[in-house]
Amino acid sequence: MSEYEYSYAFLDEQTKKEIRRKLLKAVAIPGYQVPFGSREMPIARGWGTGGLQITLSVIGPDDILKIIDQGCDESVNACNLRTFIEDVTGNAMTYDTLEADIIQTRHRIPEEKMKDGQILVLQVPYPEILRWVEPSERETRRMHAERDYNKLWVFLYEDIVRWGEITISYRYPVMVNGRYAMDPSPIPRFDVPKLHQAETLFLFGAGREKRIYAIPPYTDVLPLQFEDYGFKVEDFSGKSCRNCGSTNSYLDETFDSKSGKRYFMCSDTNYCTKRSSTITETKILPQEMSI
Amino acid sequence: MSFILKVEDLNKTFTLHQFNKKNIEGCRQVSFSVRKGEFVGITGKSGAGKSTVLKCIYRTYIPSGGKILYKSNQYGEIDLSKSSEQEIISLRRQEIGYISQFLKILPQVTALDVVTESLLEMGCEREYANHEAAIMLKHFELPEKLWDAYPHTFSGGEKLRLNLAQAMIKRSKLLLLDEPTAALDEKSKAPVREMILELKRAGTTMVGIFHDVAFMRDVVDSHYHMSEGFLKEAIVA
Amino acid sequence: MKARAKDNKEQALLRVRDLCKIYGKSCEQCVTLTGPDMGGNMCPKCGSIVACAEISFDINCGEIVGVVGESGSGKSTLIRLLHFDQSPFSGRAYLNSYENARTDLLNLSDQKKRWIRNHQFGIVYQNPYHGLRMNFSCGGNIAEKLIAADWYNYGNIRGRATELLLQTELPLSRIDDLPKYFSGGMQQRVQIAKALANNPPILLLDEVTTGLDVSVQAQILNLIRHIQRSLKISMLLVSHDFAVIRMLAQRTIVMKNGRIVESGLTDQIMEDPQHPYTQLLINSML
């Protein structure tokens, strides 16, 4: 390769080595935030650089990649990332959840249950779950080290006192492997149960905050709850997807400005597509991408 | 005849460090014994050392020498001068009482509560304690309207009667009295005499200091006289 | 001399032996060159401050032990060391309710110390800002102590908090208010409620009424008396005010320049003080 071409998957091998080592450490200590030297990327910090660096470090020439943003393959950010990764790897891309080897996601976990051998890479804005209750980084590190999560629990208690229930809707605190409290990233409550005892490897990357953490397969991931105030997911009873009729997926509420009506659609577009349409082809060709 | 309390060669010297270790003698070679249900009275001039003896028995003062043998319920026969602090605390709570001239005033505690708490400290139930406290206060003729007042502003006599009530309600095995009738008029002394006699009948052993020799003669079984730190048997006239 | 043998051996709840705290680099002569006989806390050889040394005492079940001393005596340091807020230079402590007093508390791992602190001790500081989280509600502060003692049922937590508020005579309507808007006396009550939350066997009280109005002080002290009588909690009560000590403590320890100079029954300390410094203190009382 000439000196002006990028290495495979953009990152140099030393960078990949560091990130892989940090990933191994993260997998060895489920839920523990491992600091890493987050590199300058062609995408600004706060736009998925953490997840991106993880994907670029683990991807191999034969891997098929899927990228979603809030469940959608075709949103701007997902498209930008996909274009970039395709440019620097030449790998095949897909919209199909079950076909992908690696899925990079922002703020949602796909509806279809992922398998052993697949990897889900999540983009994380704020890796520190204790930031809700403690501004000092030094103090939060001590709290994690000593498993001192009392302040977090009192935060939940005060929520119940004020509102009659725990009102946290995304970034719901979970306890991983009975040891570390973790921020599952801004996935909705609906997705939190998918982390528990899963077959899939979950990798979390925060590029701006420079932290990596992981949940290996078959790990206990339990949301924090009081014995008498249990964890609840969003309630979509009486609602269904306008497109495919699903009543058991996470629904986005949309507003049609012309008719003035509200309706619900599956957040996970691939899931919705599979259920509703007869299109079986899932490989993307540029001229078929719709807006 | 067995004794409840036997003091042998008790002496107490105070060392005042502020004044170049000046030594002041409180009492010397004090010996006497008391049998169960007996009342021993001690008279003498001010400063003769009477309070010193009582306080040594109660362990407010640390004796400098001698023995204070006491037959306790909890520990058998012990030497109070050598007992541990834990033992003394337990004895004070259950067996040995002390009536001083001064009422220990706790802030914002009513007269009735002062007496009630005396019993609560021994482990009694609150209702029973309240009930008994009321009886005791009535006996000492403390007016009912003062029962839920704070003793801070009581007269000397009222304070003394309250003091007597809270100490005597415990029905201690050994009761030490330091001038229990000092501030009382003749009429008020009668309930005190009655209570002492009642306690004697119930088996309480007592040692008391008196200025009022006439009162004392009515209730004591033996009389000692202290002068300049020495204790002598008084001549019973 | 026969029956008392067994009673005597009833073990103290807390035994502290040779506790010592030195700030600075310390040398072999720090302890011998400081103290009340040497007239100071600072080691003339190496300049370290010996906050306290050779501290040994017991607290028995259900008793209140007072600690009295002037500034620099080391009494507050003592409380902080026992509560693991700071680590000692040397010393041992044994708690009857933890592994039957076989283990030295001061040598345990941080996690075990925290467990002990959460389950065996309660503390009330002179300054409520040290003992309370001012941006949690009153109930939230109590909840924190309960959660630290492994209570994970909201209803139970709430019930216990209500109970404690009643016990400390705080108005129930203020359970969800922030203590930073309370008066000083009320803040101390919240601290006491929080300290009692998990029924610890030992309560540590550090100058709890210093700075409060006299009438409020009387109420708080009475509250402590009632609690002690009904719950039979043992307490270590630090104060520079003899009147407070006399009211509450059965036994008292007198400290000066980081050492214990005298200890004994409270009335004996006050009426027959043996040590020159104790005599000085007693004679200086108003």
Side-chain angles (χ1 to χ4, degrees):
Chain A
M1 250 188 227
S2 93
E3 58 193 287
Y4 293 104
E5 285 178 33
Y6 289 105
S7 39
Y8 173 76
F10 183 74
L11 297 173
D12 57 279
E13 292 305 309
Q14 290 302 320
T15 302
K16 286 189 203 172
K17 182 173 174 181
E18 193 227 344
I19 292 177
R20 287 171 188 161
R21 287 168 72 100
K22 296 296 165 75
L23 285 168
L24 284 175
K25 182 166 181 177
V27 167
I29 315 174
Y32 169 71
Q33 300 164 55
V34 184
F36 79 110
S38 179
R39 292 290 184 271
E40 280 296 312
M41 301 297 285
I43 290 176
R45 297 221 190 266
W47 290 82
T49 56
L52 183 58
Q53 287 177 79
I54 291 180
T55 301
L56 294 175
S57 301
V58 302
I59 196 166
D62 298 327
D63 288 323
I64 304 177
L65 181 68
K66 169 179 161 83
I67 301 202
I68 46 173
D69 179 340
Q70 298 276 28
C72 177
D73 299 84
E74 297 183 322
S75 76
V76 174
N77 296 333
C79 291
N80 279 338
L81 289 166
R82 186 181 305 112
T83 309
F84 172 69
I85 298 180
E86 206 175 2
D87 273 351
V88 299
T89 60
N91 280 35
M93 302 285 146
T94 182
Y95 281 6
D96 187 335
T97 303
L98 297 177
E99 198 186 21
D101 296 302
I102 302 172
I103 301 181
Q104 178 171 328
T105 175
R106 174 178 168 270
H107 304 351
R108 281 237 54 220
I109 298 182
E111 302 293 348
E112 290 185 282
K113 188 166 175 0
M114 289 171 66
K115 298 283 191 316
D116 176 15
Q118 292 183 291
I119 298 178
L120 186 65
V121 177
L122 294 96
Q123 297 169 205
V124 180
Y126 309 108
E128 182 54 78
I129 188 66
L130 291 172
R131 205 59 75 213
W132 289 115
V133 292
E134 177 55 61
S136 158
E137 171 71 18
R138 185 181 194 163
E139 182 60 16
T140 52
R141 290 218 200 177
R142 181 203 65 82
M143 289 161 85
H144 282 297
E146 296 185 5
R147 202 176 176 278
D148 177 6
Y149 297 125
N150 302 333
K151 260 178 130 175
L152 191 55
W153 282 98
V154 179
F155 179 77
L156 299 179
Y157 159 90
E158 301 273 25
D159 229 9
I160 298 177
V161 165
R162 208 171 296 129
W163 304 109
E165 57 176 297
I166 300 174
T167 57
I168 303 176
S169 53
Y170 57 91
R171 289 181 70 202
Y172 194 96
V174 295
M175 182 66 75
V176 179
N177 204 27
R179 176 58 179 90
Y180 283 100
M182 189 192 89
D183 186 329
S185 85
I187 54 178
R189 288 198 197 192
F190 194 85
D191 288 344
V192 168
K194 296 176 182 151
L195 296 168
H196 178 61
Q197 289 290 331
E199 289 174 39
T200 320
L201 171 64
F202 298 104
L203 302 176
F204 296 80
R208 177 180 52 196
E209 296 293 316
K210 306 177 180 36
R211 299 280 186 274
I212 281 175
Y213 47 104
I215 299 177
Y218 304 111
T219 306
D220 284 337
V221 179
L222 298 167
L224 262 51
Q225 54 190 333
F226 286 98
E227 289 165 12
D228 50 342
Y229 279 78
F231 172 76
K232 294 195 289 236
V233 298
E234 289 82 350
D235 183 12
F236 292 114
S237 46
K239 306 181 177 71
S240 62
C241 172
R242 186 171 90 153
N243 203 27
C244 69
S246 161
T247 52
N248 60 354
S249 56
Y250 187 78
L251 301 176
D252 285 332
E253 187 176 353
T254 352
F255 179 69
D256 182 343
S257 50
K258 286 207 201 88
S259 65
K261 277 172 62 180
R262 292 173 197 282
Y263 54 91
F264 293 88
M265 297 259 283
C266 284
S267 155
D268 185 340
T269 52
N270 180 245
Y271 178 73
C272 196
T273 309
K274 278 186 180 171
R275 275 180 58 98
S276 67
S277 77
T278 54
I279 299 173
T280 53
E281 192 179 74
T282 49
K283 289 256 171 40
I284 305 106
L285 303 167
Q287 58 267 33
E288 280 176 325
M289 282 204 297
S290 55
I291 297 160
Chain B
M1 261 283 205
S2 62
F3 62 88
I4 290 288
L5 180 72
K6 189 166 175 197
V7 178
E8 279 177 13
D9 244 343
L10 176 68
N11 60 72
K12 172 65 184 166
T13 307
F14 298 95
T15 309
L16 302 182
H17 294 276
Q18 252 63 61
F19 302 103
N20 258 330
K21 297 218 174 137
K22 191 201 296 224
N23 279 340
I24 303 210
E25 304 232 326
C27 64
R28 292 175 270 185
Q29 294 169 20
V30 171
S31 299
F32 66 94
S33 62
V34 194
R35 291 192 291 267
K36 182 173 162 111
E38 267 201 324
F39 194 153
V40 165
I42 305 179
T43 54
K45 262 177 26 184
S46 273
K50 315 185 291 293
S51 277
T52 306
V53 173
L54 279 196
K55 287 190 175 175
C56 280
I57 298 175
Y58 197 60
R59 244 307 235 102
T60 303
Y61 291 166
I62 300 178
S64 307
K67 288 195 193 154
I68 306 173
L69 300 170
Y70 168 69
K71 280 217 178 74
S72 78
N73 292 342
Q74 295 171 59
Y75 306 109
E77 183 179 305
I78 52 172
D79 181 358
L80 291 177
S81 67
K82 310 238 172 354
S83 299
S84 72
E85 285 158 17
Q86 282 315 104
E87 288 167 338
I88 298 288
I89 292 176
S90 187
L91 288 172
R92 286 181 182 182
R93 192 175 287 138
Q94 308 282 2
E95 295 187 37
I96 306 182
Y98 183 92
I99 303 178
S100 75
Q101 295 176 47
F102 311 105
L103 175 65
K104 177 180 172 187
I105 298 215
L106 296 168
Q108 295 185 12
V109 180
T110 63
L112 183 64
D113 278 340
V114 167
V115 187
T116 309
E117 283 180 14
S118 220
L119 278 185
L120 289 179
E121 196 182 43
M122 294 176 73
C124 301
E125 293 295 317
R126 180 159 265 280
E127 272 200 49
Y128 171 78
N130 258 326
H131 180 75
E132 290 296 306
I135 297 177
M136 203 49 138
L137 285 177
K138 257 203 210 94
H139 177 91
F140 281 101
E141 289 168 12
L142 200 74
E144 240 183 274
K145 65 175 177 339
L146 290 181
W147 289 7
D148 50 13
Y150 296 137
H152 214 83
T153 48
F154 285 5
S155 72
E158 284 162 349
K159 280 186 188 158
L160 182 55
R161 279 180 281 157
L162 183 55
N163 209 5
L164 290 162
Q166 67 95 6
M168 288 175 158
I169 198 173
K170 282 185 185 235
R171 303 227 178 335
S172 318
K173 187 176 159 102
L174 174 66
L175 189 57
L176 308 165
L177 303 93
D178 192 341
E179 305 222 29
T181 58
L184 295 181
D185 55 274
E186 280 309 313
K187 184 166 159 300
S188 307
K189 286 184 190 176
V192 183
R193 184 182 301 115
E194 274 164 43
M195 185 51 73
I196 289 178
L197 291 172
E198 189 184 307
L199 289 174
K200 274 181 82 172
R201 276 193 297 272
T204 300
T205 310
M206 290 180 270
V207 180
I209 296 172
F210 292 94
H211 273 149
D212 182 350
V213 183
F215 177 91
M216 193 188 67
R217 281 227 195 85
D218 278 347
V219 295
V220 302
D221 299 297
S222 13
H223 174 188
Y224 293 87
H225 187 82
M226 275 197 86
S227 146
E228 284 167 20
F230 289 101
L231 184 96
K232 292 195 212 5
E233 186 122 16
I235 297 132
V236 181
Chain C
M1 299 354 151
K2 1 103 198 175
R4 64 205 278 255
K6 176 171 166 283
D7 298 337
N8 238 359
K9 294 298 164 271
E10 187 193 300
Q11 226 180 21
L13 179 59
L14 176 69
R15 286 180 300 138
V16 177
R17 298 286 178 266
D18 291 318
L19 193 56
C20 173
K21 175 69 178 170
I22 301 181
Y23 293 103
K25 56 179 172 3
S26 87
C27 62
E28 326 78 53
Q29 298 195 284
C30 274
V31 175
T32 41
L33 292 181
T34 55
D37 302 323
M38 298 293 150
N41 290 47
M42 181 149 86
C43 172
K45 195 153 174 270
C46 66
S48 322
I49 305 282
V50 178
C52 64
E54 299 167 328
I55 303 289
S56 300
F57 65 94
D58 289 354
I59 300 180
N60 297 288
C61 278
E63 86 170 337
I64 302 185
V65 174
V67 180
V68 70
E70 299 179 307
S71 299
S73 58
K75 51 191 201 300
S76 282
T77 308
L78 176 59
I79 289 255
R80 294 210 161 57
L81 291 171
L82 288 178
H83 196 246
F84 310 126
D85 288 348
Q86 291 175 10
S87 4
F89 178 78
S90 64
R92 305 177 317 274
Y94 304 93
L95 195 53
N96 220 5
S97 45
Y98 183 76
E99 294 189 0
N100 240 324
R102 280 194 308 264
T103 329
D104 173 17
L105 306 179
L106 300 171
N107 245 332
L108 292 172
S109 68
D110 277 354
Q111 268 191 317
K112 291 211 172 110
K113 280 185 184 169
R114 271 191 328 111
W115 187 93
I116 293 173
R117 186 207 277 177
N118 290 334
H119 289 81
Q120 306 283 343
F121 287 121
I123 189 165
V124 182
Y125 293 96
Q126 176 179 358
N127 185 346
Y129 278 75
H130 286 147
L132 299 175
R133 302 222 192 260
M134 289 304 179
N135 47 7
F136 282 147
S137 68
C138 174
N141 270 283
I142 297 175
E144 187 188 5
K145 189 88 202 283
L146 290 170
I147 288 166
D150 301 319
W151 287 48
Y152 289 110
N153 183 305
Y154 175 84
N156 291 350
I157 291 174
R158 200 84 176 142
R160 179 77 180 129
T162 308
E163 218 174 66
L164 288 161
L165 257 61
L166 285 170
Q167 243 177 353
T168 51
E169 291 163 31
L170 280 162
L172 286 180
S173 57
R174 311 218 50 188
I175 187 174
D176 299 322
D177 289 349
L178 299 182
K180 73 177 160 198
Y181 302 125
F182 288 6
S183 68
M186 280 175 78
Q187 286 174 341
Q188 288 303 61
R189 287 177 201 273
V190 180
Q191 270 208 87
I192 293 173
K194 179 175 185 172
L196 293 174
N198 59 331
N199 280 323
I202 296 196
L203 200 56
L204 305 168
L205 302 151
D206 190 359
E207 304 262 16
V208 298
T209 53
T210 306
L212 294 178
D213 294 330
V214 174
S215 61
V216 177
Q217 172 175 280
Q219 286 168 10
I220 300 287
L221 293 176
N222 269 328
L223 176 63
I224 294 175
R225 263 183 350 111
H226 290 146
I227 287 170
Q228 202 272 329
R229 200 181 34 236
S230 53
L231 301 178
K232 309 254 185 303
I233 293 189
S234 315
M235 301 189 195
L236 188 67
L237 176 75
V238 165
S239 182
H240 68 275
D241 186 349
F242 255 116
V244 170
I245 298 279
R246 179 179 48 195
M247 185 179 160
L248 291 177
Q250 288 117 8
R251 289 192 308 124
T252 300
I253 293 170
V254 182
M255 287 181 73
K256 181 177 203 275
N257 288 136
R259 307 287 189 287
I260 294 179
V261 298
E262 189 172 350
S263 78
L265 300 168
T266 305
D267 59 321
Q268 175 255 304
I269 296 274
M270 296 193 69
E271 296 193 43
D272 184 22
Q274 306 288 301
H275 191 275
Y277 175 68
T278 319
Q279 290 184 356
L280 175 64
L281 269 190
I282 298 293
N283 290 328
S284 310
M285 277 171 65
L286 293 174

